[in-house]
Amino acid sequence: MNTARKRTWAALALQACALAALALALAGRTWLDPQARPRLLVLVDRSQSMPPEASEQALAEVARGARAAGAELQWLEFAGRPAAPAPRSDQPRAALDPAATNIEAALDLALAAHAQSPLAGVVVVSDGLETHGRAERALRSLQAARLPLQWLALGRPAPPTRIAQVLAPARATVGQDVALAVQLAGRLQPPLRVQARLRGAGGEVQMQAATADASGRATLVLPAREPGAAIVELALQEPASGQTVAALVDAAVVDVLPRAAILYAQGSEGVLAASLQRGGWPLVRVPAARLDAQADALPAYRAVVLDDVAVSDASPRFWQALAEAVQQRGLGLLVLGGERAFARGGYAGSVLESVLPLLSQPPSLDEPASVVFAVDKSGSMGQGSGGVDRFRLAQRAVLETARGLGERDALGLLVFDVEPQWLLPLGPAAAGTAALARDWRASPGGGTRIAPAL
């Protein structure tokens, strides 16, 4: 949960506690009854985000109000961890961790103190910016215990320019670029430079800088080079002086996953596997006949290569698992041909064929053919100035082609200029070929219109 969301939850829970305290007051129960000498516990946030001077002023106001009401005060300082409740001391507590804030732990300690000796109420002096724990859980427990709570919200003034939002991917793969979108707020002129560091799990650091645009947005891309949790650190710098004006130590965390291997099934020796390995691709090479052992391991692979693999090399269970991984999970699939692949490998009608962009059914070699010849007989097809008779050449080309047709084939002939004319209706090729050898009862002349003939 990011800081803004945590603060929102804390604010909502505080409102609920404030309503509970108001209800107690309306019922006639007050916090500071002078005759009962109530005991208040003050929780003081000593983390680095708290302004010391404003904190001391707030604590002085709490002390004055308690003295006026005759209340007894106890102090509990906290940061990353709380100290034990005690009378106020001006000496810093060595047990505190100023680099962190755990409001939940401090509130839990206040509840424990209340269980041992009832408190009249709890006063929290904090900016509400927790880095550990979930304060809303402890606030609900305070409400259930009917323990009144007041919160003095303090905080440092916002800097003139600050990092308002960081967008980063939750995960990436080794070798993949991590794109960061950083949004600045506040004073944006002159433009600031955003310095990003991606610190890998093994300590390797990648760095890049970019200047924010007029809207305060900067985009940075850093490569993820090692698996594990990578920490994104950001800093805002003035381009002229290089001075850092704001920084975010743990801006984001990216889970970098190891590069998934490729399952390479070999039905015959090929050159692609060795080429991929030389290029740095992680391969798991298995003989095609041992694919069944990989049926349950498909989710661990990035892609599958079938190099000259037949359907009979694996069981229906493997092919079904492969088809589901491709269709539902987006598993990459590359199929290479060969003597045992596609039609020869029994792909036609198989589960494997259902995930391929083509059919593996060979064309029939004895299918009868029907051919219609459309020949241009316009004026430009006649004898030219060079003595070439284009129409006669076309006749010879048609006749030679027709002689290559079989007994079961059919042919037809039409000629056209501006209009088409059938010279030989579609019929048996043998009779048609004999007719083509005779005169065509047509001579070149006229214009040309191809569309009617088509």
Side-chain angles (χ1 to χ4, degrees), residues 266-267 287-292 307-315 318-319 340 345:
Q266 286 189 295
R290 297 181 58 187
L291 276 174
D292 281 347
D307 189 350
D308 197 14
V309 175
V311 167
S312 59
D313 287 331
S315 66
F318 173 81
W319 297 120
R340 306 173 63 253

Side-chain angles (χ1 to χ4, degrees), residues 47-59:
S47 60
Q48 293 175 347
S49 62
M50 290 290 292
E53 189 173 325
S55 296
E56 293 306 317
Q57 292 178 356
L59 295 178

